Amino acid sequence: MAKSSGETKFTLKLVVDEERKKVVFAEACRDFVDVLFSLLTLPMGTIVRLLENHRKSEPVPVGCFSNLYKSVVDMGTDDFETEACKQILLYPRSLRDVQCKRLKLNLHPAEGYKWFSCGSYNCDMCSGFSTSRCRCGKLMNKETPMSGAKVVDYNIQDGVFVRGRSSFIITDDLKVAVRSTDLVLRKLKSVGCGDLRKVSERIVEIGLDEVMTLLECIFSSNASLTDTFLNKQSPKGVMKPCTTPSPYMEKEIEARPEEIITFSAIVRKHDMKILYVECKEDFVDLLFTFLAVPLESVVDISGESSTLVCLGNLFKGFKELSATEVSRSKAVLPHYYKCQKQLLDIITERPQLLFRASDDELLDLIDPKSHGRDQSKKGSGFVKRDARFTVSDDLIITPMNSSSALCFLKKLESPTEDIQVQEISISKTQAASLLRASLVTSSALNAALWNSTSKKRKQET
Ligand SMILES: [Zn+2]
């Protein structure tokens, strides 16, 4: 690792197949592997934001997540339950932020968590967001120091994520393994480089910029190292949007009412394509939750590991080499991402106990989704209750008050007799396939709900 002009840079040894102009593998230190694994811990909303900043003119889209993020940006504060709701979606926090502080190169250095209150000693409430409202109605914008910070326990021998102190091999498609002669030989032979005269070694420096390109490549390339270091850019338009219907739709278990979301799908009859969906706040809350889910949990929940090869490989290495337990049965998010209907396999962390430093008073941590005065109505979701929204196939979400019905129908360019409206109910299974489809296609509704509409067609005939 070298430091030049203040920026941390890692040194990677690339083994390059000179004939084919391809990286066979790279040798890397543990600290760099930690940085690589940290990409998986970023919430999807953070990934979208980082990629947009990296390539402002032409950011690499991440499935439908980029549209979801843009929908939050475009929606007015009035469309959300509170001002803080928009903030927690645009700047999602992760429970791994604290861990990531130990990285030698942190793509997303989260500020130390600050706590806020309304400033009155009669109130015993605090919030992690300065845009929250207190029970007394005042804005909670006074920074309030707390005592008794959490102590994070870790083994000093281990890296941030990686166990031990080995050096590592990273293949072009991001398989990560502990370096051994046996592995190096097998890798060289498998790509037809048994003749060592064909390969050469190159030393490259990798800093923030290159790590960002690697992050792009996770979503767009099958040869991430070659694209990052030899081609110096991520490929565009390589990953074809796949519209294969989700394989696990058939065995549907009876779901409880709180685990079902119902909405209307506007369907084109001749090919049963969903043109858009008209829904209430519960479906939008579900989709917006996607932005807070870390990439590792998206892979875990959706079981997606085959379409995006580099992502699948990286996740496998993360699980195998990790110093801590990576795959819990469910993803854990900060407490305020809990919505009334939780269809994804996530749990929210119980808020920690907070004591005001000045007088050791135990403060009540409020849900930034709730309104200050009425704490009985705990924050039930991100967007306004009793509102209606439209959601396009590629997950652009628009409040229905902002466009006219006729304008919408005209945009479809389909004769009215070819359009029908179907009621669709989804539960946990479809929510997981929606999450998966959002990652790998630009046609999430049709990819994930295809079976739901085609079944209806059979019933009708
Ligand atoms: Zn107050």
Side-chain angles (χ1 to χ4, degrees):
M1 200 175 58
K3 267 193 180 186
S4 59
S5 69
E7 195 202 342
T8 307
K9 293 218 177 219
F10 294 93
T11 307
L12 285 195
K13 245 184 252 169
L14 299 182
V15 173
V16 179
D17 178 344
E18 293 294 345
E19 256 172 39
R20 281 179 237 158
K21 295 277 171 253
K22 279 191 84 100
V23 175
V24 184
F25 60 82
E27 273 181 47
C29 62
R30 182 192 67 190
D31 290 340
F32 177 71
V33 174
D34 269 336
V35 172
L36 198 57
F37 285 161
S38 76
L39 303 180
L40 292 167
T41 69
L42 297 170
M44 294 310 294
T46 305
I47 291 179
V48 172
R49 198 177 74 248
L50 288 174
L51 291 184
E52 281 178 357
N53 288 337
H54 179 56
R55 217 177 286 279
K56 286 204 168 66
S57 54
E58 221 186 331
V60 170
V62 184
C64 296
F65 286 96
S66 307
N67 283 341
L68 278 178
Y69 193 85
K70 192 174 181 305
S71 304
V72 178
V73 173
D74 289 348
M75 269 164 62
T77 314
D78 283 355
D79 295 314
F80 293 92
E81 273 287 76
T82 64
E83 200 184 330
C85 287
K86 189 166 173 165
Q87 199 184 353
I88 61 180
L89 293 171
L90 291 181
Y91 303 95
R93 287 182 187 173
S94 151
L95 295 176
R96 287 208 195 259
D97 285 347
V98 184
Q99 219 175 337
C100 286
K101 276 190 181 165
R102 292 172 53 220
L103 289 168
K104 295 283 186 325
L105 180 76
N106 190 355
L107 230 56
H108 178 244
E111 288 174 39
Y113 288 168
K114 291 177 181 161
W115 303 104
F116 300 91
S117 69
C118 70
S120 158
Y121 271 82
N122 299 326
C123 294
D124 56 356
M125 306 192 81
C126 68
S127 170
F129 298 88
S130 61
T131 43
S132 299
R133 292 234 167 242
C134 181
R135 190 182 284 148
C136 68
K138 275 198 276 182
L139 198 61
M140 303 174 78
N141 55 1
K142 305 274 185 305
E143 203 184 319
T144 308
M146 300 289 161
S147 60
K150 253 193 208 170
V151 181
V152 183
D153 188 27
Y154 55 85
N155 183 353
I156 203 79
Q157 292 299 313
D158 291 326
V160 180
F161 301 113
V162 180
R163 203 170 43 229
R165 289 189 186 278
S166 322
S167 71
F168 295 86
I169 297 282
I170 305 166
T171 61
D172 203 13
D173 55 359
L174 299 190
K175 286 184 188 129
V176 185
V178 175
R179 193 184 72 179
S180 72
T181 310
D182 178 46
L183 185 68
V184 168
L185 282 173
R186 270 189 290 143
K187 188 66 214 164
L188 285 167
K189 281 182 202 159
S190 73
V191 292
C193 291
D195 181 355
L196 294 182
R197 281 170 301 185
K198 286 184 187 167
V199 292
S200 69
E201 203 171 75
R202 294 193 202 177
I203 308 286
V204 289
E205 291 222 307
I206 176 162
L208 194 62
D209 213 39
E210 292 79 15
V211 175
M212 285 305 308
T213 309
L214 265 176
L215 179 61
E216 287 178 337
C217 284
I218 290 179
F219 303 102
S220 61
S221 166
N222 292 334
S224 293
L225 297 182
T226 301
D227 285 326
T228 303
F229 296 106
L230 304 188
N231 304 335
K232 307 268 182 205
Q233 60 176 13
S234 63
K236 293 192 178 69
V238 167
M239 309 303 287
K240 284 197 205 94
C242 86
T243 46
T244 35
S246 154
Y248 46 79
M249 296 283 284
E250 293 306 329
K251 49 168 198 262
E252 193 60 64
I253 312 149
E254 281 288 301
R256 290 179 301 207
E258 67 270 24
E259 288 173 349
I260 290 179
I261 291 176
T262 304
F263 48 79
S264 312
I266 288 58
V267 177
R268 193 163 61 198
K269 275 199 259 179
H270 77 265
D271 57 1
M272 299 310 280
K273 191 178 177 327
I274 299 173
L275 299 169
Y276 66 96
V277 149
E278 241 177 69
C279 64
K280 286 191 290 200
E281 64 278 358
D282 50 2
F283 189 49
V284 176
D285 283 339
L286 169 71
L287 294 174
F288 279 167
T289 308
F290 288 8
L291 293 172
V293 180
L295 181 55
E296 54 173 319
S297 305
V298 174
V299 180
D300 222 13
I301 295 169
S302 66
E304 166 54 42
S305 59
S306 52
T307 316
L308 303 175
V309 178
C310 290
L311 176 60
N313 287 339
L314 192 61
F315 181 69
K316 204 162 160 262
F318 186 43
K319 275 175 120 172
E320 283 168 4
L321 299 170
S322 182
T324 51
E325 192 191 346
V326 172
S327 185
R328 296 178 249 200
S329 55
K330 286 181 172 192
V332 189
L333 300 184
H335 69 97
Y336 40 77
Y337 290 109
K338 188 187 174 88
C339 287
Q340 207 169 15
K341 287 187 180 177
Q342 186 48 268
L343 266 55
L344 286 183
D345 257 338
I346 53 174
I347 44 175
T348 44
E349 185 206 43
R350 214 162 351 144
Q352 65 192 101
L353 294 180
L354 292 163
F355 297 91
R356 187 158 52 202
S358 55
D359 58 357
D360 253 353
E361 177 87 17
L362 175 64
L363 299 189
D364 207 1
L365 188 60
I366 75 156
D367 185 335
K369 302 194 300 304
S370 66
H371 296 277
R373 283 177 195 285
D374 190 4
Q375 284 297 316
S376 59
K377 259 208 249 159
K378 285 268 184 211
S380 39
F382 306 113
V383 289
K384 277 261 157 71
R385 307 293 93 182
D386 299 319
R388 290 191 77 83
F389 300 85
T390 59
V391 182
S392 66
D393 189 21
D394 54 357
L395 303 190
I396 295 172
I397 300 171
T398 322
M400 281 187 71
N401 53 16
S402 65
S403 59
S404 80
L406 192 63
C407 164
F408 233 99
L409 288 171
K410 271 187 181 167
K411 251 194 263 171
L412 299 178
E413 293 174 351
S414 291
T416 47
E417 56 271 24
D418 191 28
I419 297 172
Q420 63 173 201
V421 180
Q422 291 188 4
E423 285 288 297
I424 291 184
S425 292
I426 64 164
S427 57
K428 281 179 169 249
T429 332
Q430 289 91 345
S433 40
L434 253 175
L435 185 68
R436 173 183 176 269
S438 309
L439 185 68
V440 297
T441 85
S442 53
S443 173
L445 291 183
N446 279 291
L449 306 174
W450 188 82
N451 280 17
S452 310
T453 56
S454 58
K455 262 187 227 149
K456 293 225 167 175
R457 178 165 51 171
K458 275 182 214 143
Q459 284 163 9
E460 271 174 25
T461 51

